[in-house]
Structures are given as C-alpha cells and as structure tokens.
Amino acid sequence: MKQIQIQGLDKPVSQLIMGSDFFKLNNGDEVSSILEHYLAIGGNTIDTAFIYCGGESEQALGIWLEQQRNRDAMNIFTKGAHHDEQGPRVNKEAIHSDLLTSLERLRTDYIDLYALHRDDPSVPVGVILEALNEHLEAGRIRAFGGSNWTHQRLQDAADYAKQHGLVGFSFSSPNLSLAKPNEPFWAGCVSSDEQALRWHEAKQFPLLAWSAQARGFFTGKFTPDNRENEDIVRVFYSDANWMRLERATQLAKEKGVTAIQIALAYVLNQPFPACALIGPRNEAEMKSCFEGAQLKLSQQEMAWLDLTEAVV
C-alpha cells in the first residue's frame, strides 16, 4: 500500500487508515478479524477517538495491540478535546485529561498522531500550541494536528509556531469526499472546500480525510427517490452530487471498477499528501478499498468528476 510521510513520525502512514468507531469490548472477534484483513493489505494506521463508543473503541484497540504485541509497528491516531454538553473543551486542562485517559485505555505510553477533535476559534492558537508542545516534549505524542480545523486556523497556528520557536501542526483531518456536503454532518465539522484544497496543495500539508467515501453515497443504494436515510439526504442530496455520482459510475465502467472505488481514488489522488479513513466491516469491503486506493486518476479526470471540466 502507498504511504505518506508526516513530520514527527519515524515511520510512514498508510494511505488507508482503518476507522474503529465500531470497536467495542463485546466484539473482540470482529475487531481482530477486520484488523487481520487490514494488516493483510499493508495498512499500519488505526483511527480512534476519546469519545468513540464511550471510550470502548480505544479500550478494544488497546487490548488488540497488547495481544498482537505489535505496538511499535502501528501508528495510532486518536483525538481528544471534543466538546461536551457544556460546550467547547479545547483548552489545556481538557487536552491533558483526555490524552492521559487515552494513553491508559490504549495501553501505551505514546500516541503517534494526536488530533484535537474540534476547534474553538475563541481560544488563541498560541495557548493550544503551548499545551500540545508540552506533551510533545514529554514524549506522550509524536505528532499533532487538527480534526475539523479550518485552513485559516491551521495557518494561524503555523505562523505562531514559527514566531515562537514551537512545533506546529503536522496534519489536518477534515471531511473530504467527491460528494460535497450541503451542511456539516455533525455540528462543528469542517469539510475542505476549493480554497482549503488550494492551501493544502501550496503547503503540501497532509490531509487525513474522514467520510472519504461520503458514507456510502457512491454504493448505488441511494437514489433521488430514496429518502429513507435522513442524514444522507440532508447532507449529500443535491443535483451536483447526483451528477458526480453519474460521472463516477461512468468512469468506473470504463476502468472496470466501481463508483465507490472511484470516489476513494478521488481523495487519494489529490496533489498533496492525502489519506482516507475507511470503515470496512468484512474482507470483501477491505479488498474493495485496497483496489480503489491503487487507482490512478489524471488531473483531467479529477476535474471532470468534480464538475469543474466538461469532458474527460
């Protein structure tokens, strides 16, 4: 599998990052099975978060790492400082508390990729960077970034880090998919628009995309008349996205693949380092992701899929 480099890590990150938002303490066999399939395709990075499954995702992953004795071979990507019922928690105290809890759950003494799950624009980036650098210096994290941070805030953080001799963010993890959202899937989420993509290209800043396959929009099970899934309807149903699906289906037929594989390839063929968070639940779905990740799309094909060029 193809890999990218992220500043701060001593090993590369596989372009397909395994999601674990279904890992629980009562489905250990499923967790072991799907991770076995993931390792078989060359994956080495697993995504989790402090809030996933009430903390069980990190716990289940920690058990698996201990059983496999392969901690040093894997990149662990976890997230903290998500808001709660009282509001935003992007502050020094919450970062410290969530990180230490995550380390305990994961049964490890360091996190390879640590991201702030949300942003709080009312908090100066300097305060946040100072807190993260303390954990970096203590060896608790190897690299840090922002999940659902705008590129403007990421640039502010980069400027502050340079001015104050600190380590800055090494990656960003927003939503990026061929299907463009009408509105955020969850409150406080950020999707990469054209301006953000240009920023990533100019900076060659790594992007780890969540919902890279638009939560199944390209599987063929959704149609304009099928409105059963209210969230998919709310977020992805639009004339432009139906056209993108039509074009992905057409290009897939020409290449002998599926539309959802084309959608995955769109994310991974960006002109900057990019990874996709995936959530296959069986070997067939894992194989589909692997095959999609091998596809090469030309700049012309990318533009045509995204409705910015008339013909292939």
Side-chain angles (χ1 to χ4, degrees):
M1 185 188 301
K2 298 175 185 176
Q3 301 172 322
I4 71 166
Q5 296 289 336
I6 291 182
Q7 184 177 359
L9 299 190
D10 57 5
K11 54 182 175 288
V13 173
S14 55
Q15 273 200 305
L16 295 180
I17 297 175
M18 184 66 211
S20 67
D21 60 356
F22 61 92
F23 287 15
K24 296 183 179 180
L25 294 176
N26 64 359
N27 68 343
D29 289 343
E30 181 184 12
V31 170
S32 295
S33 176
I34 199 65
L35 288 178
E36 180 180 348
H37 298 318
Y38 177 64
L39 294 179
I41 66 169
N44 75 343
T45 305
I46 304 173
D47 163 69
T48 185
F50 178 85
I51 66 166
Y52 287 173
C53 302
E56 287 192 31
S57 173
E58 288 184 326
Q59 290 176 282
L61 179 53
I63 291 170
W64 180 80
L65 289 167
E66 192 171 82
Q67 291 174 340
Q68 297 295 313
R69 300 180 180 178
N70 64 349
R71 174 66 186 93
D72 290 341
M74 306 301 298
N75 289 312
I76 301 304
F77 172 25
T78 196
K79 302 175 286 294
H82 193 282
H83 60 257
D84 61 17
E85 62 279 359
Q86 296 179 349
R89 298 174 58 252
V90 186
N91 56 66
K92 181 175 181 178
E93 293 74 22
I95 292 170
H96 181 83
S97 176
D98 286 6
L99 175 56
L100 292 189
T101 299
S102 291
L103 289 169
E104 181 178 358
R105 291 172 177 170
L106 289 161
R107 306 188 182 196
T108 185
D109 57 3
Y110 70 96
I111 303 296
D112 303 274
L113 299 161
Y114 191 74
L116 300 177
H117 211 159
R118 291 288 192 274
D119 187 16
D120 180 358
S122 70
V123 179
V125 291
V127 174
I128 298 169
L129 283 174
E130 297 283 354
L132 289 169
N133 270 258
E134 288 182 15
H135 293 293
L136 192 74
E137 292 171 7
R140 301 185 189 100
I141 55 179
R142 300 286 172 83
F144 58 83
S147 177
N148 299 299
W149 279 50
T150 65
H151 71 280
Q152 294 94 337
R153 280 278 280 179
L154 293 171
Q155 184 61 58
D156 289 345
D159 293 342
Y160 185 94
K162 183 176 181 180
Q163 293 166 5
H164 294 83
L166 297 172
V167 175
F169 285 19
S170 295
F171 64 92
S172 177
S173 184
N175 165 245
L176 172 62
S177 68
L178 178 57
K180 308 308 176 190
N182 303 314
E183 61 181 74
F185 206 93
W186 297 285
C189 288
V190 171
S191 294
S192 295
D193 57 17
E194 185 60 34
Q195 187 180 12
L197 295 180
R198 288 198 298 267
W199 181 87
H200 275 273
E201 181 177 5
K203 302 296 181 181
Q204 286 298 294
F205 197 74
L207 187 152
L208 316 182
W210 57 264
S211 286
Q213 294 168 298
R215 305 189 72 80
F217 182 80
F218 293 92
T219 59
K221 67 180 181 180
F222 296 108
T223 66
D225 295 330
N226 178 357
R227 308 182 72 84
E228 295 178 0
N229 190 317
E230 295 181 0
D231 283 330
I232 297 298
V233 171
R234 172 178 61 86
V235 177
F236 292 121
Y237 275 37
S238 68
D239 290 342
N241 281 339
W242 293 124
M243 178 62 73
R244 292 184 178 98
L245 173 57
E246 182 180 327
R247 291 190 177 191
T249 301
Q250 178 183 331
L251 187 58
K253 289 180 179 178
E254 295 173 5
K255 293 181 178 291
V257 295
T258 64
I260 198 166
Q261 289 173 322
I262 292 293
L264 179 61
Y266 167 82
V267 171
L268 298 180
N269 278 268
Q270 295 295 324
F272 50 79
C275 296
L277 277 60
I278 58 172
R281 299 294 291 266
N282 55 54
E283 185 175 10
E285 292 178 355
M286 187 72 73
K287 181 180 179 183
S288 173
C289 290
F290 176 72
E291 292 173 349
Q294 310 312 305
L295 294 174
K296 288 282 191 180
L297 298 180
S298 68
Q299 291 183 350
Q300 191 175 18
E301 288 171 332
M302 293 276 285
W304 182 75
L305 286 167
D306 209 10
L307 312 184
T308 58
E309 187 170 322
V311 295
V312 174

